[in-house]
Amino acid sequence: MSTSPSKIELIQPDDWHLHIRDGDVMKDVLADTARQFARAIIMPNLKPPVTTVDLAKAYRARIQLNLKAMGISSFTPLMTLYLTDNTSADEVRKAKSEGITAFKLYPAGATTNSDAGVSDIKHCYGALEAMQAVGMPLLVHGEVTTADIDIFDREAVFIDRVLIPLRKDFPELKIVFEHITTKQAAHYVRDAQDSVNHPNTIAATITPQHLLMNRNAIFAGGIRPHNYCLPVLKREEHRLALLEVATSGNPRFFLGTDSAPHAKGAKETSCGCAGCYSAFNALGLYAEAFESVGKLDRLEGFASFFGPDFYSLPRNSKKITLVKQSQAIPVELPLGDATIVPLRAGETIAWSLA
Ligand code: DOR
Ligand code: ZN
């Protein structure tokens, strides 16, 4: 007899790591997210990247126009700025006073639209000093990018070469280690010490694909471009470590889908883009992961409480219901003039939004 419930009610979740792009594709992806989440941290890796407060405000206005056009009033985008070698301390202070939620560190060359990213973190020490002083969180794409490091080791090496020294130099800076993929990252975040007077200096987001799949999924019966994202899926032992911390009730781990839309043609090509489109039924995917280890009761903390608590934002008050009712995931969805292949396209998912 199954002891799993067939229905769960939870405070509405937020997505603490999301790509919605710009232009005519934005509406399609925003609609999927706004159906499930109350707020989302909007990633700044546009072309060109969102490097200034003025660019972020203009981006936010375009998001709000799209929300309005779709009649959605229940969703709030939380804006981020793209950190560069040249970000000034003044821009950080301006960002704080103008309601920007965080800065994003992309090591140059790490992923989609990261060419303008940081070439050496030492170039950012003035900006980081200001972030620490005003309480502005730094969101980190945690991978080294040097060619000598194997792609499967990039995250673990980043911890030793960049993250540990960074936390030593800025012990009060709030850092989110984004989309963690390894046992090393899970255990680093779990075991890291907070600075004495400043709790909540380190946290991590975890995507649905890294909780549900290991690297075999990229090569199952042939190459599977829609399961390719960065940081790339890892071995099963890493997936299990992520599932363990995500479902442990530890408030340092919370939901961030990293849903990253690329048109079908940009994925199914000789040099396909990195990114999984999980926004279509992200909550169903997370519910499946938590249920797989009998921890559905821990989903609400991970999805709805620990994120706002870390960011010192109020928790949502509205409730949503997930039902155990199998939902077919379409093989393709519209994306502007093109289409997109969602995660688990053509398969079914056990849980969906009531
Ligand atoms: O797979 C990814 N896609 N990882 C990232 O870090 C960026 C994202 C994107 O923007 O497409
Ligand atoms: Zn991302």
Side-chain angles (χ1 to χ4, degrees):
M1 201 183 79
S2 163
T3 52
S4 271
S6 58
K7 187 169 141 177
I8 41 174
E9 207 182 57
L10 55 160
I11 289 287
Q12 187 174 20
D14 305 298
D15 186 348
W16 298 97
H17 186 127
L18 178 69
H19 301 265
I20 56 169
R21 316 301 187 203
D22 209 346
D24 61 351
V25 304
M26 189 207 289
K27 227 188 237 172
D28 294 325
V29 295
L30 198 48
D32 281 339
T33 290
R35 241 187 301 116
Q36 300 162 78
F37 298 99
R39 297 169 285 198
I41 292 263
I42 307 296
M43 286 295 135
N45 62 332
L46 301 182
K47 271 188 222 168
V50 182
T51 49
T52 65
V53 174
D54 292 345
L55 287 169
K57 283 165 79 175
Y59 188 27
R60 173 160 50 196
R62 295 195 295 281
I63 298 168
Q64 275 157 349
L65 266 181
N66 277 318
L67 288 168
K68 199 167 169 210
M70 293 188 288
I72 298 169
S73 57
S74 55
F75 178 79
T76 306
L78 303 172
M79 306 310 292
T80 60
L81 290 193
Y82 187 112
L83 186 68
T84 73
D85 287 352
N86 304 314
T87 304
S88 68
D90 278 346
E91 198 66 27
V92 173
R93 288 186 283 267
K94 183 174 172 191
K96 182 71 184 178
S97 68
E98 304 251 2
I100 301 298
T101 303
F103 273 70
K104 177 72 188 274
L105 162 65
Y106 285 106
T111 187
T112 309
N113 299 342
S114 63
D115 300 349
V118 171
S119 68
D120 182 341
I121 190 77
K122 296 270 179 206
H123 296 149
C124 303
Y125 268 36
L128 293 170
E129 199 76 66
M131 281 180 220
Q132 175 169 259
V134 302
M136 173 68 79
L138 177 70
L139 316 183
V140 172
H141 182 113
E143 290 192 286
V144 295
T145 55
T146 49
D148 58 313
I149 304 298
D150 189 277
I151 186 167
F152 292 100
D153 299 331
R154 287 177 172 185
E155 184 175 280
V157 173
F158 180 89
I159 297 170
D160 293 329
R161 287 198 189 163
V162 184
L163 189 56
I164 291 173
L166 180 67
R167 286 195 14 101
K168 214 170 261 157
D169 289 346
F170 299 96
E172 292 167 11
L173 180 64
K174 283 172 88 72
I175 296 177
V176 183
F177 196 167
E178 298 287 339
H179 43 54
I180 59 168
T181 65
T182 56
K183 181 169 69 180
Q184 288 88 339
H187 293 175
Y188 174 77
V189 172
R190 183 192 65 189
D191 300 334
Q193 297 289 315
D194 271 318
S195 95
V196 188
N197 301 318
H198 288 78
N200 302 327
T201 54
I202 183 86
T205 54
I206 309 182
T207 76
Q209 66 267 26
H210 292 100
L211 292 176
L212 290 168
M213 298 190 286
N214 64 39
R215 65 191 196 178
N216 287 344
I218 311 169
F219 308 105
I223 193 133
R224 303 278 183 169
H226 301 290
N227 292 339
Y228 169 61
C229 65
L230 287 171
V232 71
L233 295 171
K234 305 294 193 301
R235 286 177 182 276
E236 179 66 1
E237 63 177 305
H238 297 289
R239 186 186 77 85
L240 292 174
L242 298 172
L243 199 50
E244 158 75 30
V245 293
T247 62
S248 67
N250 183 331
R252 286 184 174 174
F253 300 94
F254 47 82
L255 187 158
T257 63
D258 196 21
S259 179
H262 292 279
K264 182 179 177 184
K267 296 282 291 176
E268 298 178 6
T269 177
S270 61
C271 186
C273 295
C276 294
Y277 186 63
S278 60
F280 182 72
N281 186 2
L283 287 180
L285 294 165
Y286 281 111
E288 183 177 311
F290 277 63
E291 186 181 38
S292 73
V293 286
K295 295 277 176 62
L296 268 176
D297 58 322
R298 297 265 167 84
L299 181 61
E300 188 177 37
F302 176 82
S304 313
F305 296 161
F306 305 152
D309 295 355
F310 182 84
Y311 280 91
S312 304
L313 290 167
R315 294 179 179 183
N316 296 317
S317 49
K318 194 183 138 189
K319 289 196 166 166
I320 59 146
T321 304
L322 290 174
V323 286
K324 194 162 188 183
Q325 193 174 76
S326 105
Q327 182 190 19
I329 305 298
V331 287
E332 285 180 21
L333 297 164
L335 184 76
D337 295 339
T339 62
I340 187 165
V341 178
L343 200 62
R344 296 276 284 275
E347 297 177 33
T348 56
I349 291 188
W351 289 88
S352 43
L353 205 56

